[in-house]
Amino acid sequence: MASSASAVRPPRPKKEPQALVIPKNAAEEQKLKLERLMKNPDKAVPIPEKMSEWAPRPPPEFVRDVMGSSAGAGSGEFHVYRHLRRREYQRQDYMDAMAEKQKLDAEFQKRLERNKTTAEEQTAKRRKKRQKLKEKKLLAKKMKLEQKKQREVSVWTVGCKFENHCYGTWPLMLHIPVSKTV
């Protein structure tokens, strides 16, 4: 029966022999991994999960082997006690480390928030300064245009008595005849 099952299967396609490449550094190793992944882009890429942090086993809800206070404990009881003590110390150290980590995280968040508010204050201050400069420039431009209009109005009202052969009106009211060659 095994021989008939193997006869039914089609033969496997032969793989092309590939040269053995040994990476000399981390960059070459990364390059080889990328090339292998890009050979078959339809294939799913294995992305490893983030390793969870080590946590001690929680203390038991019900302790079966309660040690008595009477003398005469056997020789094996010391080892049981030693392991329980080690586990408890490990659990306490873990809780202390987690409390320290949470404290540092809280301090970091406070510092981050404080930096963010100071940056926003600086940005608002600079924005206000830019806006002030922009308004000042706009006001100066308007004043310049008003002065120009005022000059033009004053010049046009005076006019030139030699209109036929002048370039037009000048603020100083200079009379410049137009040459006929131009």
Side-chain angles (χ1 to χ4, degrees), residues 64-84:
R64 289 175 180 25
D65 301 322
V66 178
M67 291 187 194
S69 59
S70 64
S75 60
E77 296 301 315
F78 172 71
H79 300 295
V80 172
Y81 165 74
R82 189 181 58 164
H83 289 302
L84 287 173

Side-chain angles (χ1 to χ4, degrees), residues 8-182:
V8 175
R9 265 196 271 163
R12 285 186 180 176
K14 293 190 176 184
K15 290 183 180 178
E16 297 176 19
Q18 295 178 350
L20 180 64
V21 179
I22 299 173
K24 294 179 181 146
N25 55 27
E28 286 184 18
E29 185 178 351
Q30 188 71 24
K31 181 182 171 188
L32 287 173
K33 286 180 180 178
L34 282 173
E35 285 174 358
R36 190 173 67 228
L37 285 172
M38 294 309 286
K39 277 184 184 177
N40 189 1
D42 298 333
K43 186 177 176 184
V45 179
I47 299 174
E49 293 292 323
K50 183 181 175 186
M51 290 181 61
S52 60
E53 254 183 55
W54 177 86
R57 218 176 345 168
E61 302 237 352
F62 182 77
V63 181
R64 289 175 180 25
D65 301 322
V66 178
M67 291 187 194
S69 59
S70 64
S75 60
E77 296 301 315
F78 172 71
H79 300 295
V80 172
Y81 165 74
R82 189 181 58 164
H83 289 302
L84 287 173
R85 185 182 64 177
R86 181 183 55 83
R87 224 178 272 132
E88 181 60 22
Y89 285 159
Q90 235 179 5
R91 191 179 71 81
Q92 288 175 356
D93 290 341
Y94 174 77
M95 289 190 314
D96 291 343
M98 291 307 291
E100 182 68 24
K101 184 179 176 184
Q102 287 175 352
K103 179 183 165 193
L104 290 174
D105 283 346
E107 287 176 7
F108 176 73
Q109 291 300 325
K110 282 181 187 175
R111 192 169 58 235
L112 205 62
E113 192 64 34
R114 190 172 53 240
N115 289 348
K116 191 176 179 181
T117 55
T118 54
E120 286 174 358
E121 288 171 1
Q122 283 292 104
T123 304
K125 187 177 177 182
R126 290 180 181 146
R127 184 186 306 118
K128 187 177 178 182
K129 190 175 180 180
R130 280 193 310 269
Q131 201 67 25
K132 207 173 186 180
L133 283 171
K134 193 175 179 182
E135 288 174 6
K136 193 175 179 182
K137 281 183 180 180
L138 194 63
L139 187 64
K141 192 174 182 180
K142 282 183 180 180
M143 291 295 289
K144 192 174 180 182
L145 283 172
E146 283 182 25
Q147 286 176 354
K148 191 175 180 182
K149 283 182 181 179
Q150 193 71 21
R151 264 194 235 135
E152 286 178 2
V153 167
S154 66
V155 168
W156 284 109
T157 55
V158 173
C160 179
K161 60 184 177 181
F162 308 105
E163 287 181 22
N164 295 341
H165 63 284
C166 281
Y167 277 114
T169 57
W170 293 81
L172 301 175
M173 294 305 297
L174 296 174
H175 174 69
I176 302 172
V178 178
S179 64
K180 305 284 183 183
T181 58
V182 177

